[in-house]
Amino acid sequence: MEKVDLHIEKKSLFFIVVFFLFLTISYAQPALPQRTITVQSTQPIDFGIFYDTGSGGTITVDYQGNRTTTGGLIALSGSAAKPAIFEVKLCQGRNIIIDYTLTTTLSNGVGSPLTLNIGPTEKGPRGARFSVNTNCNFITTLRVGGTLHVPAGSAKGTYSGNFEMTFTQE
């Protein structure tokens, strides 16, 4: 009878060793942090409401949302100007280089298009480098201003258009 008990113990011991072997193999490595840039445009640039007294001019919104005019343009108080906002996320905490075209056009579908000069951004001009936080839950905000050129006699209305920003990681 003692021989039978010894045989059962060996089987139990073998089962325990095999069980621990599977436990050590089943562990996986933690997921690596994201290495690609994620960029989301969250707010378009908005010059607010303004009017032209007849001679044209420019209206500028800086990256902080401050608005100034030149020439015959008058900005209406009570209409808020806003910079464009991009949210940038890169978990590795690397540097990013920003690039963009310096001008684009806006149209309202009726008259001649308006020219928009892009920039600067809160991180600097075209070609500027900036660091992002290494925390994967942290989003780096990039605000972008611009200057709108309004020729005399431009058609009234709401103008719209697009501009591209390129974000390259170093």
Side-chain angles (χ1 to χ4, degrees):
M1 216 185 247
E2 290 181 310
K3 289 182 183 179
V4 172
D5 288 337
L6 183 61
H7 182 66
I8 292 173
E9 287 178 17
K10 285 183 183 178
K11 283 185 178 180
S12 298
L13 182 62
F14 177 73
F15 175 72
I16 291 171
V17 169
V18 170
F19 179 71
F20 282 119
L21 181 63
F22 283 121
L23 280 178
T24 59
I25 292 174
S26 67
Y27 288 112
Q29 292 181 342
L32 294 174
Q34 172 186 337
R35 290 182 167 244
T36 58
I37 299 172
T38 304
V39 179
Q40 183 175 356
S41 173
T42 59
Q43 177 175 287
I45 192 168
D46 185 348
F47 293 91
I49 300 171
F50 61 93
Y51 67 93
D52 182 7
T53 60
S55 61
T58 63
I59 184 164
T60 300
V61 175
D62 69 10
Y63 61 81
Q64 294 174 328
N66 299 314
R67 178 173 56 177
T68 58
T69 61
T70 65
L73 298 186
I74 307 286
L76 295 179
S77 60
S79 72
K82 301 174 196 165
I85 296 179
F86 295 87
E87 292 181 345
V88 183
K89 183 176 170 185
L90 175 62
C91 295
Q92 294 296 312
R94 295 189 175 130
N95 288 334
I96 293 179
I97 302 168
I98 53 175
D99 192 18
Y100 50 90
T101 56
L102 294 175
T103 61
T104 190
T105 56
L106 306 180
S107 64
N108 69 353
V110 178
S112 298
L114 306 180
T115 301
L116 171 61
N117 292 353
I118 311 299
T121 74
E122 69 182 307
K123 304 296 184 188
R126 178 180 179 198
R129 289 176 167 80
F130 65 95
S131 298
V132 292
N133 194 306
T134 58
N135 181 344
C136 291
N137 296 319
F138 186 82
I139 294 174
T140 302
T141 302
L142 177 71
R143 290 174 178 80
V144 182
T147 299
L148 185 63
H149 298 268
V150 182
S154 294
K156 296 177 184 178
T158 300
Y159 287 76
S160 62
N162 296 307
F163 68 91
E164 293 183 14
M165 300 282 299
T166 303
F167 300 84
T168 306
Q169 68 176 312
E170 286 188 305

